Amino acid sequence: MHRATSGAVRVLESTDTPALLRLLERDPAHHVSVLASVRSRGTAAPGRGRIAAMLLGIDDPEHPGELASACWVGSNITPVHAGPAEGELFGLALRALRRRVSSVYGDAEAVLELHDAAGWVNVREVRADQPLLSIDVPSAIEPMPEVRPSRLEEFDAVEQASAAMFTEELGFSPYTQGVSEYQQRVRSLISGGYSLIAVGQDGEIIFKAEFGAVSREVVQVQGVWVHPEHRGRGLAASGMSAVVDYGLKLAPVVSLYVNGYNTAALRTYQRVGFRREGTFATILF
């Protein structure tokens, strides 16, 4: 890695955590998933094996002790405060490390350059235009009163709805990478109070969403889903209005990103009051 990047990229250690947090806190809306992870686990040296999570960094030459850019490297990879040049350097580093990858996501320019430099060939899909949206006030749309946090005794129904959304969105089953891992993820969201659902009169989940990343500055919404039999009735807008209300109890900003080709979802989020903050991209493997 050192040779591939001429020493520009290094592995971050625990002593780099304060500098990394300062970097992340400059723009939490763009980096909330990494910010939440670093706050919970710090910046550790890499563990054993090719899939152990680690962080890479590029030092700021004008400010000793500070970072110019960073990159979360786990099964998912996320560049932080990276433009095209930094994205290319991280891609060269990852190519040298021969990392296994499930996805790469983040600011579009950095993600696309990182992908090109890494030289991966087993790409499932490139989603190059994903508007990053945020809202910091309650929506003017009446919130769906049925939306509430799900309960652990509802795990089976929540798992089924979550898996249906995942498969519809990504085109493959979430269990491909392990049943127990996915079930633990769903269970942890429920336990944390970050899984929101609305249940119909027949007891079936008709709307759901989660807070996939939570920090004191921003919460990020993921997994928004309306049961197919209940679509076309405006449930997404009223459901998201309720989700925003819950999110604003946790942080002053609620964010999400959405595929640019999903015009129906974009219209819904605009109606709710979300505004565009940037453009993400996601590479799926």
Side-chain angles (χ1 to χ4, degrees):
M1 182 183 75
H2 185 275
R3 180 181 300 176
T5 65
S6 300
V9 177
R10 64 181 178 87
V11 176
L12 299 184
E13 305 287 345
S14 57
T15 53
D16 294 303
T17 300
L20 178 59
L21 285 172
R22 287 193 293 272
L23 183 72
L24 290 162
E25 289 165 357
R26 283 164 49 188
D27 193 352
H30 281 70
H31 308 115
V32 61
S33 62
V34 180
L35 177 58
S37 295
V38 171
R39 282 207 178 124
S40 66
R41 56 154 277 181
T43 307
R48 295 180 179 179
R50 290 187 178 180
I51 61 173
M54 61 192 295
L55 280 138
L56 305 178
I58 298 173
D59 291 313
D60 187 340
E62 298 182 0
H63 300 91
E66 298 298 323
L67 293 168
S69 187
C71 187
W72 172 272
V73 181
S75 59
N76 302 308
I77 293 174
T78 306
V80 174
H81 276 287
E86 293 80 10
E88 181 181 12
L89 285 170
F90 288 131
L92 293 171
L94 291 164
R95 187 169 190 161
L97 289 169
R98 299 181 181 180
R99 295 288 302 200
R100 295 178 181 177
V101 181
S102 295
S103 71
V104 185
Y105 68 93
D107 286 318
E109 288 186 337
V111 165
L112 297 174
E113 287 292 337
L114 186 156
H115 168 249
D116 287 345
W120 291 303
V121 295
N122 59 331
V123 176
R124 183 189 300 267
E125 185 178 359
V126 177
R127 299 183 176 184
D129 178 21
Q130 297 179 305
L132 174 66
L133 312 175
S134 72
I135 186 170
D136 57 8
V137 294
S139 174
I141 292 178
E142 186 70 22
M144 187 189 300
E146 294 85 1
V147 172
R148 58 167 175 80
S150 60
R151 299 184 287 265
L152 281 175
E153 58 264 30
E154 298 170 308
F155 171 80
D156 289 344
V158 175
E159 181 193 11
Q160 183 178 4
S162 299
M165 180 273 160
F166 187 104
T167 303
E168 182 178 344
E169 170 69 16
L170 298 180
F172 61 94
S173 169
Y175 304 115
T176 302
Q177 298 174 350
V179 174
S180 61
E181 291 84 353
Y182 185 71
Q183 290 179 333
Q184 179 55 39
R185 172 63 174 166
V186 174
R187 190 171 283 109
S188 67
L189 289 168
I190 297 173
S191 298
Y194 301 150
S195 166
L196 301 176
I197 62 172
V199 178
Q201 294 181 348
D202 59 359
E204 191 171 47
I205 294 175
I206 61 173
F207 171 87
K208 79 159 198 72
E210 297 99 35
F211 298 126
V214 178
S215 73
R216 59 176 176 261
E217 297 93 346
V218 183
V219 295
Q220 189 170 85
V221 180
Q222 67 175 30
V224 180
W225 179 82
V226 176
H227 193 289
E229 295 180 1
H230 295 271
R231 293 174 185 174
R233 298 165 47 190
L235 296 184
S238 60
M240 280 303 300
S241 177
V243 170
V244 168
D245 286 348
Y246 274 98
L248 291 176
K249 296 175 183 177
L250 301 173
V253 176
V254 178
S255 75
L256 56 84
Y257 59 99
V258 59
N259 294 314
Y261 57 76
N262 193 344
T263 55
L266 279 168
R267 285 197 298 266
T268 294
Y269 298 141
Q270 289 166 357
R271 284 183 56 209
V272 172
F274 282 86
R275 63 183 182 275
R276 188 163 186 165
E277 297 289 346
T279 302
F280 270 23
T282 298
I283 314 292
L284 299 169
F285 297 86

